[in-house]
Amino acid sequence: MKIEGKEYRTIWFDEKNQAVKIIDQTKLPHQFIIKDLKTVKDAINAIKIMEVRGAPLIGGTAAYGMVLAIMEKNDPNFIKQSSEDLIKSRPTAINLKWAVDRMMKKLSDVNNNEVLKVALKEAKTLCEEDVKFCENIGINGLKIIEEIYNKKKDTVNILTHCNAGWLATINWGTATSPIYHAHKKGIPVHVWVDETRPRNQGANLTSYELNEEAIPNTIIADNTGGILMQRGEVDMCIVGTDRTLSNGDVCNKIGTYLKALAAHDNNVPFYVALPSSTIDWEIKERKDIPIEERNSEELSHIEGVDENNEIKKVLIYPKKSKAMNLAFDVTPAKYITGLITENGISEASSDALKKMFR
Ligand code: MRU
């Protein structure tokens, strides 16, 4: 997708400098900085401090992280240790483990002089696949938006939470892909963007990328969605997911569950968009999903730019107060109207998911 009219992906391999390039998302929307990752430690750190984030992009970065490990030291022990360190860098998004496992499997019986070549090819393929999957999610989700538009004959208002946009994937996004496709087709859309405290991925990233693609959007405080739904100002919700259980339960950014409850109470369709790499076929119960708890400083401090355009961080809570920062919650399948995937729209249930993917 575009930034100031120029097409970008969120991650790519720079052959000339033998480095992985990323867009540093901790600086957006105020500064657009492209950064080099040169070691596996750089990749781990980028995932940990969320220079890259969003389930599919975390997966893509982990795949390239494996390439960087091999470039550093083509030694089976180091490669194995690096794969374990990468998996530990963030706990909730299943794409991370999925990508590392896929890379390790691909490399398992490759001879030593071929390892780097094979790894680089696989990381590129994995990212290309993600682009294709996200594009297909857009084509499939477009049908739902079109249907609403054909009935309403007016702008379709879509609410989204966090950033499940192109910045969270390699291109297109998951939740945003149907929106981009609708916009390209000339269907008038407007997006209610949940600010998404504490890190403000909605305000800082979703609104930013929608602006760059000239898609009308309005940032709202996280608690505003409910009243907008009661007023009939939301036609549908589309969110992303970090891990979808085989029973259709969806783990996504904290606050998603409350939006699903409000949507259910107001008969607003609630869709989740995901590539199949986000499905966890192993964990059966939502209580077993590892929910990331991040530093409470993400709540107690806030970042912005001052009058000189310099990024500043300030304390907003009482100095003595404690804060708790759970990063994800789980929305039970019963509140989900449908899962928009690369293969089509599935009911959020074991039978439907199995039928579509197994
Ligand atoms: O903590 P983040 O910013 O990595 O959380 C991202 C989300 O919750 C997204 O909705 C999810 O990863 C889906 S991305 C297509």
Side-chain angles (χ1 to χ4, degrees), residues 25 50 52-58 90 93 95 134 161-169 173-175 196 199 201 205 239-243 251-254 256 273-275 278 292 294 327-328:
Q25 300 193 19
M50 294 172 66
V52 290
R53 25 71 48 208
L57 179 56
I58 291 173
R90 275 192 87 187
N95 304 56
C134 287
H161 191 69
C162 194
N163 173 262
W166 78 267
L167 285 165
T169 63
T174 57
T196 319
R199 289 186 68 105
Q201 290 96 326
L205 306 175
V239 299
T241 165
D242 286 81
R243 191 184 288 244
C251 180
N252 190 48
K253 182 55 55 195
I254 193 86
T256 303
L274 62 136
T278 309
E292 179 177 19
R294 294 185 64 85
F328 298 94

Side-chain angles (χ1 to χ4, degrees), residues 245-247 249 280-288:
L245 299 191
S246 56
N247 66 6
D249 286 356
D280 182 339
W281 297 100
E282 275 164 32
I283 288 183
K284 297 287 172 239
E285 289 185 56
R286 71 182 83 112
K287 68 171 175 38
D288 296 327

Side-chain angles (χ1 to χ4, degrees), residues 105-124:
K105 194 167 170 216
K106 188 79 192 174
L107 301 177
S108 62
D109 46 14
V110 175
N111 80 44
N112 209 264
N113 4 333
E114 293 283 297
V115 168
L116 179 58
K117 203 174 93 195
V118 174
L120 186 55
K121 187 160 176 250
E122 188 64 3
K124 284 182 182 166

Side-chain angles (χ1 to χ4, degrees), residues 184-210:
K184 280 183 198 300
K185 212 175 166 189
I187 298 172
V189 284
H190 164 261
V191 185
W192 294 114
V193 178
D194 279 354
E195 182 188 32
T196 319
R197 283 280 291 145
R199 289 186 68 105
N200 295 343
Q201 290 96 326
N204 291 350
L205 306 175
T206 305
S207 182
Y208 170 77
E209 61 165 86
L210 292 173

